[in-house]
Amino acid sequence: MISGISASPGIVFGTALLFKEKKIKINKNKISDKNIQIEINKFFQARKKSSQQLCEIKNQAKKKFGKKKSSIFKGHILLLEDEELETEIISLIKKKKITADFAIEKIIQEQIQTLEDLKDEYLKNRSIDIRDIGNRLLKNILHIPIIDLNNIKKKVILITKDLTPSQTTQMNLKKIIGFITDLGGVTSHTSIMARSLEIPAIVGTKNITKKVQNGDFLILDSVHNKIIINPSETQIKYFKIEKKKYFNIQKKLKLLKNLPAITIDGKKIEIGSNIGNYKDSIHAKKYGAESIGLYRTEFLFMGRNNLPSEEEQFQAYKSIAEKMHGKSIIIRTMDIGGDKNLSYIKFPKEDNPFLGWRAIRVSIDNINILHDQIRAILRASAFGKLKIMFPMIISMEEISYLKKEVQKIKNQLNKENIIFDKNIKIGIMIETPASAIISKHLIQKVDFFSIGTNDLTQYTLAVDRGNETISKLYQPISPSILYLINKVITASHKAKKWTGICGELASNIEITALLVGMGIDELSMSSISIPIIKNIIRKINFKKAKKLAKSVLKENKIEKIQNLIKNFNKKENLL
């Protein structure tokens, strides 16, 4: 039995698929004359295999995304079968007497460098295609298995060291029924995506990839944080009963989905959902979300080879606006950087990317990206109750600049006679200590705040939330964090405006009463968490919760805070 960190609840049974990228090792030794033709034949065989794989991927992409998007892979096939590329590789094998893999690596690297040195952005971006083709060729020539997460045929539980956000977006969700990772914590993007996709997951197991083999049968119980490898019949029978119990509890909780989140003495809290795409908005409605408290638009920009156009973004925002039928939708502008990079934008190599070029900083430095996104949001605002939210704000100057840019786009749309919400609300994420500390000034410039507790915690405590070594120091109920949250809520209320939380603290059932007592106006979370949070809020006495918050904010030690919260929850029978 193995445990880790329960990232997304559920109990599933299935076969393990070990997703482990094998390192490409190039053979740089010289070859004899008699081996020249053998190496050339290796190249042709690898190219044929690569071409067949790309044809299959192209056909699947056509079925899933349509002809236009599948044309990317048609381009990859043409590049792979390019006569000039073939001539250069064969010529190098013959002249230099080197292996096919070494020749491919050299030619591919030369082509990448040539393209990256060009000023033309379109041609620069083609270097990504060349790199992909080169990697596929090398893996096939060296007989390294290529696991395509979008091309999985049977239902599996995915086992991997970690998953990047882009890998998660490309998974075949009909076939991946759960996943387990070596790394990660409850606030890592892998965990957030798992909850959003409603896939049972356990992260941070440290060494699951060393303990599980391909084809092992697994029980993944992320309700009780247990993984069983090749279980006995008795264990299977026991966990099937546990799965049924969990299902029945969830069924009862879903009966609350259309009820408002109101305390027993009449305090209303808005419950929103965090989403990344249209499918997530369907889940939001299914679980009774009253709004979309966070639309992570960066997922529109990921898992592709170029920027989404203004029109493409407009259609995405419009479809969700229509789906939510007039309910509030907070659209956060692209939050790229940190652990979410784009293959077609060159990011600088940074010692600490979370403190570097990310989120609003990338948008401000790429004004066309910012303008396209704002135009798309404003155009879509004619079809629903949309709000704009900017991430990673640290100063008044940034807000002034961004509001001017929004006004510029509004002026353009007015001249073009395009309908939009002229009074669209503008808010910011409070996720840096800087923004929390000057919140009383910032609220004068915006309509609302949404606290990103994941980043606010890591920046305030100087604790990387993805670092296993110091994970025990990542404490969202640290006195310093609670002080800042309270400061932000107080500042917004004094200005007669509101504050929500869209970080993972919003779905932490142990903290719900405290947040309600602190006066939070809105909680936004993964859709799957909505019923249980509504259930807790409907049991809370707001007056008593305010007294809890007052007591907690006087404390200066985490242990005392934990005890106060634990005793309150027990006394009020909230959990």
Side-chain angles (χ1 to χ4, degrees), residues 161-227:
K161 185 178 181 181
D162 198 9
L163 280 170
T164 65
S166 57
Q167 284 171 334
T168 315
T169 57
Q170 292 174 58
M171 292 193 307
N172 183 347
L173 300 175
K174 288 179 181 175
K175 300 297 180 186
I176 294 172
I177 59 171
F179 55 81
I180 311 168
T181 64
D182 287 340
L183 305 177
V186 75
T187 61
S188 66
H189 282 288
T190 305
S191 300
I192 292 166
M193 285 301 295
R195 287 189 287 277
S196 175
L197 298 167
E198 296 182 44
I199 297 175
I202 292 178
V203 301
T205 61
K206 294 187 171 66
N207 58 359
I208 190 74
T209 52
K210 291 177 181 175
K211 294 188 176 183
V212 173
Q213 301 295 318
N214 267 323
D216 280 346
F217 186 75
L218 304 178
I219 297 173
L220 165 55
D221 176 1
S222 53
V223 177
H224 306 100
N225 191 13
K226 292 174 182 177
I227 302 155

Side-chain angles (χ1 to χ4, degrees), residues 275-278 281 292 295 315-325 329 386:
I275 69 167
N277 54 41
Y278 179 79
S281 69
I292 301 298
Y295 179 6
Q315 292 297 340
Y317 307 147
K318 176 176 175 274
S319 65
I320 290 171
E322 290 173 336
K323 182 70 184 172
M324 294 307 292
H325 299 295
I329 301 166
L386 304 191

Side-chain angles (χ1 to χ4, degrees), residues 275-513:
I275 69 167
N277 54 41
Y278 179 79
K279 192 176 178 183
D280 289 349
S281 69
I282 297 171
H283 292 166
K285 291 205 79 176
K286 173 183 162 187
Y287 284 100
E290 297 165 343
S291 62
I292 301 298
L294 173 64
Y295 179 6
R296 298 183 181 100
T297 60
E298 53 270 19
F299 292 104
L300 271 173
F301 292 74
M302 292 163 64
R304 52 190 294 149
N305 292 326
N306 51 15
L307 284 164
S309 65
E310 178 197 323
E311 185 61 27
E312 196 176 339
Q313 291 185 67
F314 162 68
Q315 292 297 340
Y317 307 147
K318 176 176 175 274
S319 65
I320 290 171
E322 290 173 336
K323 182 70 184 172
M324 294 307 292
H325 299 295
K327 290 180 177 178
S328 170
I329 301 166
I330 298 175
I331 302 183
R332 180 177 72 185
T333 59
M334 179 185 75
D335 185 4
I336 289 297
D339 61 348
K340 295 178 288 184
N341 288 348
L342 302 176
S343 58
Y344 48 86
I345 291 180
K346 197 166 184 179
F347 281 79
K349 192 175 180 182
E350 298 175 299
D351 290 335
N352 194 334
F354 279 100
L355 296 178
W357 199 54
R358 63 167 292 204
I360 202 61
R361 299 165 186 182
V362 178
S363 297
I364 288 172
D365 288 347
N366 290 271
I367 198 67
N368 291 338
I369 295 175
L370 180 66
H371 282 181
D372 279 354
Q373 186 158 33
I374 292 170
R375 273 184 67 95
I377 296 169
L378 287 172
R379 285 173 59 199
S381 70
F383 300 88
K385 193 179 177 183
L386 304 191
K387 298 181 175 83
I388 301 171
M389 181 162 71
F390 296 112
M392 196 72 180
I393 296 296
I394 61 169
S395 68
M396 294 286 283
E397 287 83 358
E398 284 172 332
I399 295 175
S400 298
Y401 172 80
L402 290 164
K403 287 186 77 176
K404 280 178 188 173
E405 295 307 306
V406 171
Q407 191 56 51
K408 275 184 195 175
I409 304 302
K410 283 183 175 181
N411 295 341
Q412 285 177 13
L413 295 176
N414 279 326
K415 283 179 185 176
E416 295 168 36
N417 292 318
I418 293 171
I419 299 168
F420 65 94
D421 179 3
K422 291 179 171 59
N423 298 310
I424 192 167
K425 303 294 183 189
I426 295 174
I428 61 167
M429 292 273 290
I430 299 288
E431 51 192 335
T432 65
S435 60
I437 290 163
I438 61 167
S439 55
K440 71 175 183 180
H441 302 297
L442 297 175
I443 198 63
Q444 304 304 321
K445 286 271 187 180
V446 297
D447 299 302
F448 65 90
F449 288 148
S450 188
I451 305 172
T453 52
N454 306 347
D455 274 337
L456 183 63
T457 303
Q458 94 166 334
Y459 290 138
T460 304
L461 301 180
V463 175
D464 179 354
R465 59 189 169 111
N467 188 330
E468 300 288 318
T469 314
I470 53 172
S471 59
K472 64 180 180 294
L473 298 176
Y474 184 88
Q475 282 287 358
I477 60 162
S478 159
S480 55
I481 306 301
L482 296 178
Y483 170 81
L484 290 177
I485 291 173
N486 189 60
K487 185 179 178 68
V488 171
I489 294 169
T490 303
S492 68
H493 288 179
K494 276 186 179 175
K496 294 187 169 29
K497 294 174 185 177
W498 65 269
T499 292
I501 289 179
C502 60
E504 291 309 300
L505 205 61
S507 59
N508 186 326
I509 60 173
E510 293 174 357
I511 314 299
T512 306

